[in-house]
Amino acid sequence: MCGILGVMATTPVNQLLYDGLMVLQHRGQDAAGITTADGGAFYMHKAPGLVRDVFRTRNMRALPGRMGIAHCRYPTAGSALDSAESQPFYVNSPFGLVLAHNGNLTNTQQLQKEMFLQDLRHINTNSDSEVLLNVLAHELQAAATGYQLDPETIFSAVAGVHRRCRGAYAVVVMIAGYGLLAFRDPFGIRPLVIGENDAPEGKEYLVASESVALDTLGFRVMRDVAPGEAIFIDMAHRLYTRQCADNPVLSPCIFEYVYLARPDSVIDGVSVYETRLHMGEHLAERVAAEIPVEEIDVVIPIPDSSRPSAMQLAQKLGLPYREGFVKNRYIGRTFIMPGQSVRKKSVRQKLNTVAQEFKNKRVLLVDDSIVRGTTSGEIVEMARLAGALKVYFASAAPPVRFPNVYGIDMPTRSELIATGRSREEICRTIGADALVYQDLEALKASVRELNPALINFDASCFNGEYVTGDVTPEYLDTLEQVRDEKLAEKGAGGRNGKTLLDINSGSVPE
Ligand SMILES: O=P(O)(O)OC[C@H]1O[C@H](OP(=O)(O)OP(=O)(O)O)[C@H](O)[C@@H]1O
Ligand SMILES: NC(=O)CC[C@H](N)C(=O)O
Ligand SMILES: [Mg+2]
């Protein structure tokens, strides 16, 4: 889960992209970057850090031009601290390309090997996004017949990317001197939406991970980019679209609705906020079936993401809804922070109790999800310290038992609190008096009720079914091994001269 933006405008885009990244900051807190194009040249600034820390006035001044792309990163491949893996990525041939990617490829190792042995391309980082860019570059080189590039050629290169790449990818690309390209993988796992604006000098287009960026930047939402579809906007601001996948099947990541996206976004035709209300309604039924409602005095959300669900749950059960935790607005999202010790410390720094809401009360705490159990464990303890008589816990999502390989950084089963534990054991581990989980079918219904056309979802972290069909137990084992090796190398720091290909050279399929 990262935030991406691409814009073709009639005035300079540096400030617009910066403002857009600020709105998408919740999708990635580890690195940020902007590339603009002016004439035939690209101008780039990227570095690890929050958007507001990465860009100084001098950096902004050095980003001229009316076309640009931007990225805020939540790493799933490589390392959080390696500045070379910040995005966008650049490759000079063919034409000059820069790319920003949200998602995660599942055949990176195979592609790395192909890049080296067949396509004679050098990959310099552990980032799957650099591999994706090089696949696109190779396909574009193969499809182009001369130095002139037309939309047909670009679309056939995207079709080549779909044939070779597996996994999740929502992508924005600039082609020097030609225009802005955006595409979504054939399952549409990660979101991508396009909007327009009628500026005095002509039409402008903005592509973004979430519609909230379009709203904030004054663009009208046109539609979601379809799974497998590519959109190309040339330098004359003409828009071309093409379905480039053979069998596109919309299967958006259901975790976007649970936690990742902002509630004020609309993804694949569905308001994220409304899905969270529906999750609360469904969860209320589960709670009522498990805990006598008269034994609950108050419903308390764990800010921020669970608020809409908790509010709706309380209303449905006829219980008071109270804000018992106050959030420090200067601490970011803990789940997407790199490293367990920093996440654990941040929960206490981020949330504090309003003692009156707990003292001598039987409280039902509601969160959107329990992943590693970092938040829930700390929160239950804090509720007891504040004087709660009973602490019940409800999760608006089902137990997260399986790794996510499509752009959420939870690649190992061992780090998930629900893997290999029964509900009673999880309840005991987080220290609650009762624990209620949403059913997966109810979660799917919470989204589907708002758009019946959404038949399939990627719900792999809940059910272990990976929509791309290529994720084998051996693949998951390899991922865990890479993660362990990285931790052993002292965590997040550097590539140590190794690439994924080196690490796994024995296990890469021929
Ligand atoms: O079980 P865990 O591993 O702790 O992960 C789950 C928690 O992490 C997220 O909160 P986060 O603080 O990231 O963001 P929020 O403020 O949007 O709720 C999520 O909303 C849960 O509270
Ligand atoms: N979460 C994401 O979308 C990550 C993008 C890319 N795989 C990276 O690690 O940088
Ligand atoms: Mg939370």
Side-chain angles (χ1 to χ4, degrees):
M1 174 191 75
C2 299
I4 59 172
L5 293 155
V7 63
M8 179 68 83
T10 55
T11 53
V13 292
N14 49 356
Q15 189 64 44
L16 182 140
L17 287 170
Y18 177 90
D19 295 344
L21 282 182
M22 290 297 279
V23 175
L24 296 181
Q25 182 76 85
H26 62 284
R27 296 187 67 85
Q29 303 173 159
D30 287 353
I34 294 178
T35 310
T36 56
D38 195 19
F42 290 137
Y43 298 83
M44 172 135 70
H45 180 68
K46 59 176 184 170
L50 292 170
V51 176
R52 64 160 189 252
D53 299 325
V54 166
F55 295 96
R56 301 273 159 225
T57 308
R58 62 178 177 276
N59 309 126
M60 295 296 289
R61 283 211 196 101
L63 292 168
R66 297 165 187 206
M67 170 168 78
I69 63 174
H71 188 267
C72 52
R73 181 173 187 230
Y74 162 56
T76 55
S79 137
L81 298 183
D82 193 341
S83 54
E85 290 171 357
S86 307
Q87 300 197 33
F89 275 102
Y90 166 70
V91 69
N92 71 340
S93 173
F95 305 104
L97 304 171
V98 279
L99 170 144
H101 166 216
N102 173 205
N104 191 62
L105 300 186
T106 49
N107 63 340
T108 308
Q109 293 169 30
Q110 178 65 35
L111 290 169
Q112 268 178 324
K113 194 167 189 184
E114 288 175 15
M115 285 293 113
F116 182 68
L117 296 177
Q118 296 169 24
D119 300 347
L120 310 185
R121 285 180 169 270
H122 174 68
I123 305 294
N124 200 46
T125 69
N126 274 329
S127 168
D128 58 324
S129 311
E130 190 191 2
V131 175
L132 176 62
L133 170 60
N134 277 274
V135 173
L136 175 68
H138 179 85
E139 295 301 316
L140 207 50
Q141 180 111 45
T145 46
Y147 69 91
Q148 293 286 8
L149 194 56
D150 56 32
E152 283 309 310
T153 308
I154 294 168
F155 292 143
S156 69
V158 174
V161 170
H162 290 332
R163 277 193 295 276
R164 292 180 72 180
C165 293
R166 296 285 165 274
Y169 46 97
V171 176
V172 287
V173 181
M174 280 193 293
I175 308 175
Y178 287 99
L180 178 72
L181 169 67
F183 54 93
R184 206 171 167 197
D185 68 68
F187 294 93
I189 297 173
R190 301 260 78 92
L192 198 61
V193 61
I194 178 163
E196 62 188 344
N197 178 42
D198 299 312
E201 297 86 11
K203 193 74 132 182
E204 302 184 321
Y205 293 100
L206 176 67
V207 184
S209 294
E210 290 185 35
S211 63
V212 63
L214 274 57
D215 299 345
T216 313
L217 299 174
F219 282 70
R220 268 189 318 277
V221 173
M222 294 164 70
R223 61 184 179 82
D224 296 278
V225 178
E229 185 185 32
I231 290 180
F232 179 65
I233 301 145
D234 70 12
M235 299 310 287
H237 297 216
R238 285 179 299 240
L239 179 108
Y240 303 86
T241 67
R242 175 70 48 86
Q243 177 51 258
C244 300
D246 294 336
N247 294 304
V249 185
L250 181 60
S251 314
C253 170
I254 204 157
F255 211 67
E256 290 278 351
Y257 296 101
V258 171
Y259 165 73
L260 301 179
R262 260 178 57 154
D264 43 344
S265 282
V266 175
I267 297 180
D268 290 316
V270 176
S271 147
V272 173
Y273 178 77
E274 279 188 73
T275 66
R276 291 182 188 170
L277 294 181
H278 283 221
M279 287 172 211
E281 294 236 10
H282 287 286
L283 186 59
E285 288 165 21
R286 297 286 314 145
V287 168
E290 308 243 352
I291 305 170
V293 175
E294 59 283 3
E295 291 182 15
I296 304 171
D297 296 319
V298 61
V299 175
I300 295 180
I302 297 174
D304 271 325
S305 297
S306 69
R307 279 201 175 110
S309 301
M311 202 167 57
Q312 194 69 7
L313 177 147
Q315 196 184 18
K316 175 113 182 182
L317 296 180
L319 290 167
Y321 167 87
R322 290 294 168 80
E323 296 282 348
F325 293 99
V326 175
K327 184 179 161 181
N328 179 339
R329 70 182 72 207
Y330 301 102
I331 307 265
R333 300 182 107 186
T334 44
F335 172 71
I336 63 172
M337 286 176 181
Q340 182 62 3
S341 57
V342 86
R343 281 191 290 261
K344 209 165 149 67
K345 185 158 165 262
S346 295
V347 173
R348 290 279 176 145
Q349 285 180 337
K350 177 168 134 173
L351 296 167
N352 190 33
T353 46
V354 178
Q356 300 86 305
E357 294 299 349
F358 294 90
K359 194 149 187 59
N360 296 328
K361 290 193 183 152
R362 298 163 299 178
V363 300
L364 172 64
L365 307 182
V366 179
D367 209 346
D368 54 86
S369 58
I370 303 172
V371 182
R372 298 180 180 91
T374 323
T375 308
S376 39
E378 296 287 323
I379 286 292
V380 170
E381 200 183 318
M382 286 164 73
R384 290 204 196 280
L385 286 174
L389 297 177
K390 291 267 182 199
V391 183
Y392 307 118
F393 204 101
S395 162
V400 175
R401 293 195 197 279
F402 301 91
N404 185 289
V405 296
Y406 299 131
I408 310 175
D409 185 36
M410 39 192 201
T412 64
R413 286 157 277 198
S414 55
E415 71 193 83
L416 306 172
I417 193 171
T419 303
R421 284 195 178 90
S422 66
R423 182 155 62 109
E424 289 66 34
E425 287 167 333
I426 303 165
C427 183
R428 227 175 302 131
T429 309
I430 66 169
D433 293 299
L435 172 61
V436 180
Y437 274 112
Q438 185 88 275
D439 287 336
L440 181 53
E441 281 318 306
L443 174 61
K444 289 182 180 173
S446 303
V447 184
R448 215 177 263 145
E449 282 154 4
L450 296 159
N451 179 2
L454 280 179
I455 296 161
N456 303 301
F457 295 97
D458 165 54
S460 51
C461 59
F462 303 120
N463 61 12
E465 292 164 21
Y466 296 88
V467 291
T468 52
D470 61 328
V471 177
T472 60
E474 295 73 40
Y475 174 80
L476 295 177
D477 288 344
T478 307
L479 262 190
E480 292 191 356
Q481 184 202 329
V482 172
R483 167 59 66 111
D484 288 348
E485 289 197 24
K486 256 177 48 186
L487 287 176
E489 281 171 10
K490 198 56 219 133
R495 279 165 274 154
N496 286 3
K498 277 186 178 179
T499 67
L500 272 178
L501 190 61
D502 295 328
I503 293 168
N504 297 294
S505 50
S507 58
V508 176
E510 289 300 324

